[in-house]
């Protein structure tokens, strides 16, 4: 097994991670009754037995019910610190940034801990002084950033550390082995061009109506188009001229017109989560982030699914070698309004530690610290697909950011999202969409 080689590649590429890929949309935004703990009662809470007092921390998560990426670390911390209770404020991924922004604008002590969904929002929170700088905590603890192999330094904004690396993700291709076996078609390889992928998607599309199996699945994010446009590292999603995205939109629209992917409007209107499409075996393939490995392992462990699945490297352009991918980093930080700064720092340290990395590896989650032990753990997990090719799929040779570290990326992303939708529902031609992108982004950037 080429674990050491894979690890070396992963570590090297991890040095440059600076952004975060969204992780899907699940349930509607909600906050449990426990999360409504008032500031007055929050700092200390009497246990049911009355034998002591617990300190309470509140943390923000998204789609916590569909992925173990947060809960495993939260549970481990509370087990190691029985005098601490952690309250979870969970929101759907699609509403997370908006909900968090509203909460922080009120300058309330909840939440204490913030998992940052994307880098643009972290920059905005830092500019608004809503995140606590971590330098004083790190200095007091002689905290060693080298364990992150340069990723922590890449997270610094204006020379200040507002978050530590928690999770790292990059895009791979998931496929349903059982559907491929039934069709008598070879599985996707780790060296497949996008043209070969499109041909494979057409070949694997079958059936009609509710029984139809789509050759592949594109979720509604614009990233499922623009990611491949920046995969070779020659462009970012912040550009003066967006003509480079044209062939990728042409390909996406053709997949939709040919019926090889579900219709964008249907997915958007019905708020269909990508995980349900793959779990229900409605698609033979699906490009998605490595975070979905944990979701599938969890699904098999809970007997929600029983089919065999595999993972391959994301396809690449004909003029680009195999191993190029697009990815992101999830930071974890502390709210500037917390009334438990020291305890919050203790949790942040734990959540971004090697110990947490190995805990998350058991759930199939890749973290900001990649160790040989954690990679072995992921590859040997009970429900991780068997075969050397699946382990090889976890390696990459080049890592492009889904979004650059740009203070205006969130504003620009909204434009990208709006134009993406108009193109996919055919209210705009691709050329008209590109023209609007050029004009609106230029206005935002002052070009």
């Amino acid at each position: 097994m080429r674990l050491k080689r894979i690890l070396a590649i992963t570590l090297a590429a991890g040095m440059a991670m600076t952004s975060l890929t969204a992780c899907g949309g699940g349930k509607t935004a909600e906050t449990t009754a426990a999360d409504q703990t008032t500031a007055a009662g929050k700092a200390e809470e009497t246990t049911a037995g009355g034998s002591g007092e617990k300190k309470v921390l509140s943390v923000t998560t998204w789609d916590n019910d569909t992925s173990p990426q947060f809960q495993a670390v939260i549970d481990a911390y509370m087990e190691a610190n029985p005098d601490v209770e952690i309250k979870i404020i969970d929101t759907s991924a699609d509403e997370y940034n908006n909900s968090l922004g509203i909460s922080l604008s009120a300058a309330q002590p909840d939440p204490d801990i913030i998992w940052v969904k994307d880098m643009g929002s972290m920059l905005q929170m830092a500019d608004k002084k809503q995140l606590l700088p971590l330098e004083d905590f790190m200095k007091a603890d002689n905290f060693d950033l080298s364990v992150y192999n340069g990723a922590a330094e890449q997270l610094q904004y204006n020379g200040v550390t507002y978050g530590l690396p928690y999770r790292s993700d990059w895009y791979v291709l998931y496929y349903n082995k059982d559907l491929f076996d039934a069709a008598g078609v070879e599985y996707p390889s780790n060296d497949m061009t996008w043209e070969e992928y499109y041909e494979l998607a057409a070949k694997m599309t079958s059936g009609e109506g509710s029984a139809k199996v789509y050759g592949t699945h594109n979720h509604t994010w614009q990233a499922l188009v623009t990611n491949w446009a920046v995969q070779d590292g020659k462009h970012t999603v912040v550009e003066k001229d967006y003509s480079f995205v044209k062939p990728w939109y042409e390909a996406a629209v053709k997949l939709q017109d040919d019926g090889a992917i579900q219709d964008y409007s249907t997915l958007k209107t019905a708020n269909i989560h990508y995980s349900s499409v793959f779990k229900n075996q409605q698609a033979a393939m699906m490009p998605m982030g490595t975070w979905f490995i944990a979701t599938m392992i969890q699904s098999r462990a809970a007997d929600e699914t029983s089919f065999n699945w595999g993972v391959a490297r994301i396809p690449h352009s004909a003029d680009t070698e195999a191993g190029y991918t697009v990815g992101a980093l999830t930071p974890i930080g502390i709210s500037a309004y917390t009334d438990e700064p020291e305890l919050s720092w203790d949790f942040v340290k734990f959540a971004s530690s090697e110990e947490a990395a190995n805990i998350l590896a058991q759930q199939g989650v890749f973290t900001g610290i990649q160790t040989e032990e954690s990679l072995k753990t992921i590859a040997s997990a009970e429900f991780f697909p068997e075969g050397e090719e699946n382990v090889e799929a976890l390696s990459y040779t080049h890592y492009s950011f889904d979004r650059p570290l740009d203070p205006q990326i969130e504003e620009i992303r909204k434009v990208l999202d709006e134009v993406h939708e108009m193109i996919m529902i055919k209210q705009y031609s691709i050329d008209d969409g590109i023209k609007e992108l050029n004009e609106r982004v230029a206005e935002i950037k002052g070009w």
Side-chain angles (χ1 to χ4, degrees), residues 166-201:
Y166 175 70
R167 194 193 75 203
S168 62
D169 291 291
W170 56 96
Y171 275 79
V172 293
L173 181 68
Y174 297 85
Y175 60 93
N176 185 315
K177 289 184 175 182
D178 291 356
L179 291 177
F180 274 86
D181 290 343
V185 177
E186 289 187 8
Y187 300 151
S189 77
N190 286 321
D191 186 1
M192 182 170 62
T193 66
W194 283 108
E195 287 301 324
E196 292 170 333
Y197 164 78
Y198 302 143
E199 293 171 4
L200 194 55

mmCIF file of all heavy atoms in Angstrom, residues 166-201:
data_model
loop_
_atom_site.group_PDB
_atom_site.id
_atom_site.type_symbol
_atom_site.label_atom_id
_atom_site.label_comp_id
_atom_site.label_asym_id
_atom_site.label_seq_id
_atom_site.Cartn_x
_atom_site.Cartn_y
_atom_site.Cartn_z
ATOM 1 N N TYR A 166 -9.050 22.899 10.982
ATOM 2 C CA TYR A 166 -9.825 21.815 11.591
ATOM 3 C C TYR A 166 -9.985 20.643 10.633
ATOM 4 O O TYR A 166 -9.622 19.524 10.931
ATOM 5 C CB TYR A 166 -11.202 22.330 12.011
ATOM 6 C CG TYR A 166 -12.119 21.242 12.549
ATOM 7 C CD1 TYR A 166 -11.853 20.641 13.779
ATOM 8 C CD2 TYR A 166 -13.224 20.801 11.827
ATOM 9 C CE1 TYR A 166 -12.680 19.638 14.273
ATOM 10 C CE2 TYR A 166 -14.058 19.807 12.314
ATOM 11 C CZ TYR A 166 -13.776 19.224 13.537
ATOM 12 O OH TYR A 166 -14.587 18.228 14.010
ATOM 13 N N ARG A 167 -10.533 20.928 9.474
ATOM 14 C CA ARG A 167 -10.798 19.870 8.505
ATOM 15 C C ARG A 167 -10.256 20.290 7.143
ATOM 16 O O ARG A 167 -10.309 21.468 6.795
ATOM 17 C CB ARG A 167 -12.302 19.630 8.398
ATOM 18 C CG ARG A 167 -12.717 18.354 7.694
ATOM 19 C CD ARG A 167 -14.207 18.387 7.381
ATOM 20 N NE ARG A 167 -14.467 19.276 6.247
ATOM 21 C CZ ARG A 167 -15.640 19.854 6.005
ATOM 22 N NH1 ARG A 167 -16.641 19.694 6.834
ATOM 23 N NH2 ARG A 167 -15.786 20.636 4.951
ATOM 24 N N SER A 168 -9.734 19.336 6.389
ATOM 25 C CA SER A 168 -9.327 19.630 5.020
ATOM 26 C C SER A 168 -10.107 18.719 4.083
ATOM 27 O O SER A 168 -10.404 17.579 4.412
ATOM 28 C CB SER A 168 -7.815 19.418 4.835
ATOM 29 O OG SER A 168 -7.456 18.066 5.073
ATOM 30 N N ASP A 169 -10.449 19.253 2.941
ATOM 31 C CA ASP A 169 -11.246 18.498 1.970
ATOM 32 C C ASP A 169 -10.822 18.833 0.552
ATOM 33 O O ASP A 169 -10.369 19.944 0.274
ATOM 34 C CB ASP A 169 -12.735 18.827 2.125
ATOM 35 C CG ASP A 169 -13.319 18.287 3.410
ATOM 36 O OD1 ASP A 169 -13.449 17.056 3.534
ATOM 37 O OD2 ASP A 169 -13.637 19.094 4.303
ATOM 38 N N TRP A 170 -10.997 17.870 -0.316
ATOM 39 C CA TRP A 170 -10.777 18.095 -1.740
ATOM 40 C C TRP A 170 -11.763 17.220 -2.502
ATOM 41 O O TRP A 170 -12.365 16.285 -1.951
ATOM 42 C CB TRP A 170 -9.329 17.802 -2.143
ATOM 43 C CG TRP A 170 -8.842 16.426 -1.791
ATOM 44 C CD1 TRP A 170 -8.806 15.320 -2.597
ATOM 45 C CD2 TRP A 170 -8.295 16.000 -0.530
ATOM 46 N NE1 TRP A 170 -8.278 14.244 -1.924
ATOM 47 C CE2 TRP A 170 -7.954 14.633 -0.653
ATOM 48 C CE3 TRP A 170 -8.051 16.654 0.685
ATOM 49 C CZ2 TRP A 170 -7.405 13.902 0.399
ATOM 50 C CZ3 TRP A 170 -7.497 15.918 1.730
ATOM 51 C CH2 TRP A 170 -7.181 14.567 1.576
ATOM 52 N N TYR A 171 -11.932 17.519 -3.776
ATOM 53 C CA TYR A 171 -12.950 16.826 -4.560
ATOM 54 C C TYR A 171 -12.438 15.523 -5.151
ATOM 55 O O TYR A 171 -11.320 15.439 -5.665
ATOM 56 C CB TYR A 171 -13.479 17.733 -5.672
ATOM 57 C CG TYR A 171 -14.589 18.635 -5.192
ATOM 58 C CD1 TYR A 171 -14.301 19.794 -4.473
ATOM 59 C CD2 TYR A 171 -15.919 18.314 -5.420
ATOM 60 C CE1 TYR A 171 -15.316 20.612 -4.005
ATOM 61 C CE2 TYR A 171 -16.943 19.121 -4.959
ATOM 62 C CZ TYR A 171 -16.636 20.272 -4.246
ATOM 63 O OH TYR A 171 -17.638 21.079 -3.772
ATOM 64 N N VAL A 172 -13.306 14.508 -5.050
ATOM 65 C CA VAL A 172 -13.075 13.203 -5.649
ATOM 66 C C VAL A 172 -14.361 12.796 -6.356
ATOM 67 O O VAL A 172 -15.371 13.501 -6.311
ATOM 68 C CB VAL A 172 -12.680 12.144 -4.593
ATOM 69 C CG1 VAL A 172 -11.320 12.456 -3.982
ATOM 70 C CG2 VAL A 172 -13.736 12.034 -3.505
ATOM 71 N N LEU A 173 -14.336 11.635 -6.998
ATOM 72 C CA LEU A 173 -15.511 11.136 -7.712
ATOM 73 C C LEU A 173 -16.028 9.881 -7.016
ATOM 74 O O LEU A 173 -15.306 8.892 -6.875
ATOM 75 C CB LEU A 173 -15.163 10.812 -9.171
ATOM 76 C CG LEU A 173 -16.322 10.303 -10.037
ATOM 77 C CD1 LEU A 173 -17.351 11.419 -10.252
ATOM 78 C CD2 LEU A 173 -15.811 9.787 -11.382
ATOM 79 N N TYR A 174 -17.266 9.929 -6.568
ATOM 80 C CA TYR A 174 -17.911 8.763 -5.961
ATOM 81 C C TYR A 174 -18.673 7.997 -7.038
ATOM 82 O O TYR A 174 -19.203 8.599 -7.971
ATOM 83 C CB TYR A 174 -18.878 9.208 -4.859
ATOM 84 C CG TYR A 174 -18.183 9.906 -3.714
ATOM 85 C CD1 TYR A 174 -17.907 11.276 -3.770
ATOM 86 C CD2 TYR A 174 -17.773 9.207 -2.588
ATOM 87 C CE1 TYR A 174 -17.242 11.923 -2.734
ATOM 88 C CE2 TYR A 174 -17.116 9.846 -1.542
ATOM 89 C CZ TYR A 174 -16.849 11.198 -1.627
ATOM 90 O OH TYR A 174 -16.187 11.832 -0.612
ATOM 91 N N TYR A 175 -18.724 6.690 -6.884
ATOM 92 C CA TYR A 175 -19.496 5.901 -7.846
ATOM 93 C C TYR A 175 -20.129 4.694 -7.167
ATOM 94 O O TYR A 175 -19.654 4.204 -6.142
ATOM 95 C CB TYR A 175 -18.633 5.479 -9.041
ATOM 96 C CG TYR A 175 -17.424 4.634 -8.712
ATOM 97 C CD1 TYR A 175 -17.496 3.240 -8.740
ATOM 98 C CD2 TYR A 175 -16.205 5.219 -8.392
ATOM 99 C CE1 TYR A 175 -16.384 2.461 -8.444
ATOM 100 C CE2 TYR A 175 -15.084 4.451 -8.100
ATOM 101 C CZ TYR A 175 -15.184 3.073 -8.128
ATOM 102 O OH TYR A 175 -14.088 2.304 -7.841
ATOM 103 N N ASN A 176 -21.220 4.242 -7.732
ATOM 104 C CA ASN A 176 -21.992 3.116 -7.216
ATOM 105 C C ASN A 176 -21.528 1.844 -7.932
ATOM 106 O O ASN A 176 -21.844 1.632 -9.102
ATOM 107 C CB ASN A 176 -23.484 3.377 -7.454
ATOM 108 C CG ASN A 176 -24.381 2.324 -6.846
ATOM 109 O OD1 ASN A 176 -24.128 1.126 -6.962
ATOM 110 N ND2 ASN A 176 -25.458 2.758 -6.218
ATOM 111 N N LYS A 177 -20.775 1.011 -7.226
ATOM 112 C CA LYS A 177 -20.227 -0.202 -7.836
ATOM 113 C C LYS A 177 -21.331 -1.137 -8.321
ATOM 114 O O LYS A 177 -21.212 -1.764 -9.388
ATOM 115 C CB LYS A 177 -19.329 -0.926 -6.842
ATOM 116 C CG LYS A 177 -18.018 -0.233 -6.542
ATOM 117 C CD LYS A 177 -17.154 -1.099 -5.619
ATOM 118 C CE LYS A 177 -15.779 -0.477 -5.401
ATOM 119 N NZ LYS A 177 -14.925 -1.326 -4.554
ATOM 120 N N ASP A 178 -22.393 -1.240 -7.558
ATOM 121 C CA ASP A 178 -23.466 -2.160 -7.927
ATOM 122 C C ASP A 178 -24.128 -1.759 -9.237
ATOM 123 O O ASP A 178 -24.457 -2.612 -10.069
ATOM 124 C CB ASP A 178 -24.512 -2.221 -6.813
ATOM 125 C CG ASP A 178 -24.003 -2.908 -5.557
ATOM 126 O OD1 ASP A 178 -22.848 -3.399 -5.582
ATOM 127 O OD2 ASP A 178 -24.746 -2.950 -4.555
ATOM 128 N N LEU A 179 -24.332 -0.464 -9.446
ATOM 129 C CA LEU A 179 -24.925 0.000 -10.701
ATOM 130 C C LEU A 179 -23.986 -0.253 -11.874
ATOM 131 O O LEU A 179 -24.435 -0.639 -12.966
ATOM 132 C CB LEU A 179 -25.266 1.492 -10.603
ATOM 133 C CG LEU A 179 -26.412 1.871 -9.653
ATOM 134 C CD1 LEU A 179 -26.586 3.388 -9.612
ATOM 135 C CD2 LEU A 179 -27.712 1.202 -10.082
ATOM 136 N N PHE A 180 -22.700 -0.041 -11.661
ATOM 137 C CA PHE A 180 -21.736 -0.316 -12.732
ATOM 138 C C PHE A 180 -21.681 -1.808 -13.034
ATOM 139 O O PHE A 180 -21.612 -2.220 -14.201
ATOM 140 C CB PHE A 180 -20.347 0.212 -12.355
ATOM 141 C CG PHE A 180 -20.133 1.658 -12.706
ATOM 142 C CD1 PHE A 180 -20.515 2.668 -11.841
ATOM 143 C CD2 PHE A 180 -19.560 2.020 -13.925
ATOM 144 C CE1 PHE A 180 -20.332 4.006 -12.169
ATOM 145 C CE2 PHE A 180 -19.372 3.342 -14.271
ATOM 146 C CZ PHE A 180 -19.762 4.344 -13.391
ATOM 147 N N ASP A 181 -21.708 -2.640 -11.987
ATOM 148 C CA ASP A 181 -21.679 -4.090 -12.196
ATOM 149 C C ASP A 181 -22.914 -4.552 -12.959
ATOM 150 O O ASP A 181 -22.821 -5.385 -13.877
ATOM 151 C CB ASP A 181 -21.606 -4.815 -10.846
ATOM 152 C CG ASP A 181 -20.258 -4.633 -10.153
ATOM 153 O OD1 ASP A 181 -19.291 -4.240 -10.833
ATOM 154 O OD2 ASP A 181 -20.185 -4.881 -8.937
ATOM 155 N N ALA A 182 -24.074 -4.020 -12.600
ATOM 156 C CA ALA A 182 -25.315 -4.407 -13.269
ATOM 157 C C ALA A 182 -25.307 -4.012 -14.740
ATOM 158 O O ALA A 182 -25.880 -4.710 -15.587
ATOM 159 C CB ALA A 182 -26.507 -3.774 -12.561
ATOM 160 N N ALA A 183 -24.648 -2.890 -15.047
ATOM 161 C CA ALA A 183 -24.576 -2.416 -16.433
ATOM 162 C C ALA A 183 -23.436 -3.070 -17.200
ATOM 163 O O ALA A 183 -23.325 -2.890 -18.424
ATOM 164 C CB ALA A 183 -24.423 -0.899 -16.451
ATOM 165 N N GLY A 184 -22.572 -3.798 -16.505
ATOM 166 C CA GLY A 184 -21.429 -4.425 -17.153
ATOM 167 C C GLY A 184 -20.415 -3.412 -17.663
ATOM 168 O O GLY A 184 -19.740 -3.644 -18.664
ATOM 169 N N VAL A 185 -20.286 -2.289 -16.922
ATOM 170 C CA VAL A 185 -19.386 -1.203 -17.313
ATOM 171 C C VAL A 185 -18.250 -1.108 -16.305
ATOM 172 O O VAL A 185 -18.459 -1.260 -15.102
ATOM 173 C CB VAL A 185 -20.141 0.141 -17.383
ATOM 174 C CG1 VAL A 185 -19.195 1.280 -17.723
ATOM 175 C CG2 VAL A 185 -21.274 0.060 -18.407
ATOM 176 N N GLU A 186 -17.040 -0.863 -16.799
ATOM 177 C CA GLU A 186 -15.892 -0.731 -15.895
ATOM 178 C C GLU A 186 -16.043 0.491 -15.000
ATOM 179 O O GLU A 186 -16.595 1.512 -15.392
ATOM 180 C CB GLU A 186 -14.593 -0.608 -16.706
ATOM 181 C CG GLU A 186 -14.176 -1.888 -17.407
ATOM 182 C CD GLU A 186 -12.808 -1.761 -18.057
ATOM 183 O OE1 GLU A 186 -12.146 -0.720 -17.819
ATOM 184 O OE2 GLU A 186 -12.415 -2.670 -18.794
ATOM 185 N N TYR A 187 -15.493 0.369 -13.788
ATOM 186 C CA TYR A 187 -15.549 1.463 -12.836
ATOM 187 C C TYR A 187 -14.731 2.658 -13.341
ATOM 188 O O TYR A 187 -13.794 2.493 -14.131
ATOM 189 C CB TYR A 187 -14.961 1.037 -11.487
ATOM 190 C CG TYR A 187 -15.650 -0.123 -10.815
ATOM 191 C CD1 TYR A 187 -14.930 -0.974 -9.972
ATOM 192 C CD2 TYR A 187 -17.004 -0.369 -10.995
ATOM 193 C CE1 TYR A 187 -15.543 -2.043 -9.334
ATOM 194 C CE2 TYR A 187 -17.628 -1.440 -10.360
ATOM 195 C CZ TYR A 187 -16.905 -2.275 -9.532
ATOM 196 O OH TYR A 187 -17.506 -3.325 -8.906
ATOM 197 N N PRO A 188 -15.046 3.856 -12.871
ATOM 198 C CA PRO A 188 -14.206 5.023 -13.173
ATOM 199 C C PRO A 188 -12.778 4.783 -12.676
ATOM 200 O O PRO A 188 -12.574 4.177 -11.626
ATOM 201 C CB PRO A 188 -14.871 6.152 -12.386
ATOM 202 C CG PRO A 188 -16.280 5.709 -12.184
ATOM 203 C CD PRO A 188 -16.222 4.223 -12.044
ATOM 204 N N SER A 189 -11.813 5.261 -13.435
ATOM 205 C CA SER A 189 -10.412 5.065 -13.061
ATOM 206 C C SER A 189 -9.873 6.309 -12.367
ATOM 207 O O SER A 189 -10.524 7.363 -12.351
ATOM 208 C CB SER A 189 -9.565 4.751 -14.286
ATOM 209 O OG SER A 189 -9.317 5.936 -15.038
ATOM 210 N N ASN A 190 -8.677 6.189 -11.832
ATOM 211 C CA ASN A 190 -8.016 7.336 -11.192
ATOM 212 C C ASN A 190 -7.304 8.227 -12.195
ATOM 213 O O ASN A 190 -6.670 9.204 -11.808
ATOM 214 C CB ASN A 190 -7.025 6.838 -10.132
ATOM 215 C CG ASN A 190 -7.724 6.331 -8.890
ATOM 216 O OD1 ASN A 190 -8.709 6.898 -8.441
ATOM 217 N ND2 ASN A 190 -7.223 5.229 -8.328
ATOM 218 N N ASP A 191 -7.403 7.884 -13.480
ATOM 219 C CA ASP A 191 -6.799 8.692 -14.535
ATOM 220 C C ASP A 191 -7.805 8.791 -15.672
ATOM 221 O O ASP A 191 -7.670 8.148 -16.713
ATOM 222 C CB ASP A 191 -5.485 8.068 -15.010
ATOM 223 C CG ASP A 191 -4.743 8.942 -16.008
ATOM 224 O OD1 ASP A 191 -5.244 10.045 -16.321
ATOM 225 O OD2 ASP A 191 -3.670 8.524 -16.487
ATOM 226 N N MET A 192 -8.826 9.597 -15.467
ATOM 227 C CA MET A 192 -9.921 9.722 -16.421
ATOM 228 C C MET A 192 -10.101 11.188 -16.792
ATOM 229 O O MET A 192 -10.135 12.060 -15.913
ATOM 230 C CB MET A 192 -11.211 9.173 -15.803
ATOM 231 C CG MET A 192 -12.413 9.204 -16.727
ATOM 232 S SD MET A 192 -13.834 8.269 -16.046
ATOM 233 C CE MET A 192 -14.156 9.194 -14.532
ATOM 234 N N THR A 193 -10.202 11.464 -18.075
ATOM 235 C CA THR A 193 -10.405 12.846 -18.510
ATOM 236 C C THR A 193 -11.877 13.224 -18.347
ATOM 237 O O THR A 193 -12.754 12.359 -18.216
ATOM 238 C CB THR A 193 -10.001 13.038 -19.976
ATOM 239 O OG1 THR A 193 -10.896 12.287 -20.811
ATOM 240 C CG2 THR A 193 -8.559 12.578 -20.217
ATOM 241 N N TRP A 194 -12.141 14.519 -18.391
ATOM 242 C CA TRP A 194 -13.526 14.959 -18.302
ATOM 243 C C TRP A 194 -14.335 14.466 -19.489
ATOM 244 O O TRP A 194 -15.508 14.107 -19.341
ATOM 245 C CB TRP A 194 -13.596 16.483 -18.208
ATOM 246 C CG TRP A 194 -13.248 16.992 -16.844
ATOM 247 C CD1 TRP A 194 -12.122 17.653 -16.462
ATOM 248 C CD2 TRP A 194 -14.053 16.852 -15.657
ATOM 249 N NE1 TRP A 194 -12.157 17.933 -15.114
ATOM 250 C CE2 TRP A 194 -13.324 17.458 -14.581
ATOM 251 C CE3 TRP A 194 -15.291 16.281 -15.384
ATOM 252 C CZ2 TRP A 194 -13.817 17.497 -13.288
ATOM 253 C CZ3 TRP A 194 -15.779 16.328 -14.082
ATOM 254 C CH2 TRP A 194 -15.047 16.926 -13.054
ATOM 255 N N GLU A 195 -13.750 14.391 -20.665
ATOM 256 C CA GLU A 195 -14.477 13.871 -21.827
ATOM 257 C C GLU A 195 -14.863 12.415 -21.610
ATOM 258 O O GLU A 195 -15.984 11.991 -21.949
ATOM 259 C CB GLU A 195 -13.624 14.024 -23.095
ATOM 260 C CG GLU A 195 -13.501 15.449 -23.603
ATOM 261 C CD GLU A 195 -14.854 16.066 -23.932
ATOM 262 O OE1 GLU A 195 -15.743 15.325 -24.420
ATOM 263 O OE2 GLU A 195 -15.025 17.276 -23.700
ATOM 264 N N GLU A 196 -13.959 11.636 -21.049
ATOM 265 C CA GLU A 196 -14.266 10.236 -20.746
ATOM 266 C C GLU A 196 -15.358 10.141 -19.690
ATOM 267 O O GLU A 196 -16.219 9.241 -19.731
ATOM 268 C CB GLU A 196 -13.000 9.511 -20.284
ATOM 269 C CG GLU A 196 -11.966 9.336 -21.382
ATOM 270 C CD GLU A 196 -10.626 8.844 -20.874
ATOM 271 O OE1 GLU A 196 -10.302 9.114 -19.685
ATOM 272 O OE2 GLU A 196 -9.890 8.209 -21.659
ATOM 273 N N TYR A 197 -15.339 11.050 -18.765
ATOM 274 C CA TYR A 197 -16.365 11.100 -17.722
ATOM 275 C C TYR A 197 -17.737 11.395 -18.322
ATOM 276 O O TYR A 197 -18.737 10.758 -17.963
ATOM 277 C CB TYR A 197 -15.977 12.159 -16.691
ATOM 278 C CG TYR A 197 -17.073 12.621 -15.767
ATOM 279 C CD1 TYR A 197 -17.473 11.844 -14.680
ATOM 280 C CD2 TYR A 197 -17.695 13.860 -15.964
ATOM 281 C CE1 TYR A 197 -18.471 12.297 -13.809
ATOM 282 C CE2 TYR A 197 -18.685 14.315 -15.103
ATOM 283 C CZ TYR A 197 -19.072 13.526 -14.033
ATOM 284 O OH TYR A 197 -20.046 13.974 -13.189
ATOM 285 N N TYR A 198 -17.807 12.367 -19.235
ATOM 286 C CA TYR A 198 -19.082 12.685 -19.871
ATOM 287 C C TYR A 198 -19.618 11.482 -20.644
ATOM 288 O O TYR A 198 -20.819 11.194 -20.611
ATOM 289 C CB TYR A 198 -18.925 13.878 -20.823
ATOM 290 C CG TYR A 198 -18.412 15.144 -20.172
ATOM 291 C CD1 TYR A 198 -17.529 15.995 -20.858
ATOM 292 C CD2 TYR A 198 -18.800 15.503 -18.888
ATOM 293 C CE1 TYR A 198 -17.054 17.152 -20.264
ATOM 294 C CE2 TYR A 198 -18.320 16.654 -18.291
ATOM 295 C CZ TYR A 198 -17.451 17.471 -18.982
ATOM 296 O OH TYR A 198 -16.979 18.614 -18.384
ATOM 297 N N GLU A 199 -18.728 10.788 -21.339
ATOM 298 C CA GLU A 199 -19.135 9.588 -22.087
ATOM 299 C C GLU A 199 -19.639 8.501 -21.136
ATOM 300 O O GLU A 199 -20.631 7.820 -21.427
ATOM 301 C CB GLU A 199 -17.955 9.060 -22.914
ATOM 302 C CG GLU A 199 -17.530 9.986 -24.040
ATOM 303 C CD GLU A 199 -16.235 9.546 -24.710
ATOM 304 O OE1 GLU A 199 -15.719 8.461 -24.325
ATOM 305 O OE2 GLU A 199 -15.750 10.263 -25.603
ATOM 306 N N LEU A 200 -18.966 8.370 -20.003
ATOM 307 C CA LEU A 200 -19.362 7.371 -19.016
ATOM 308 C C LEU A 200 -20.722 7.727 -18.408
ATOM 309 O O LEU A 200 -21.556 6.846 -18.161
ATOM 310 C CB LEU A 200 -18.295 7.280 -17.927
ATOM 311 C CG LEU A 200 -18.340 6.077 -16.977
ATOM 312 C CD1 LEU A 200 -18.318 4.764 -17.746
ATOM 313 C CD2 LEU A 200 -17.163 6.148 -16.001
ATOM 314 N N ALA A 201 -20.962 9.008 -18.174
ATOM 315 C CA ALA A 201 -22.242 9.455 -17.632
ATOM 316 C C ALA A 201 -23.384 9.121 -18.586
ATOM 317 O O ALA A 201 -24.464 8.678 -18.159
ATOM 318 C CB ALA A 201 -22.203 10.955 -17.359
#
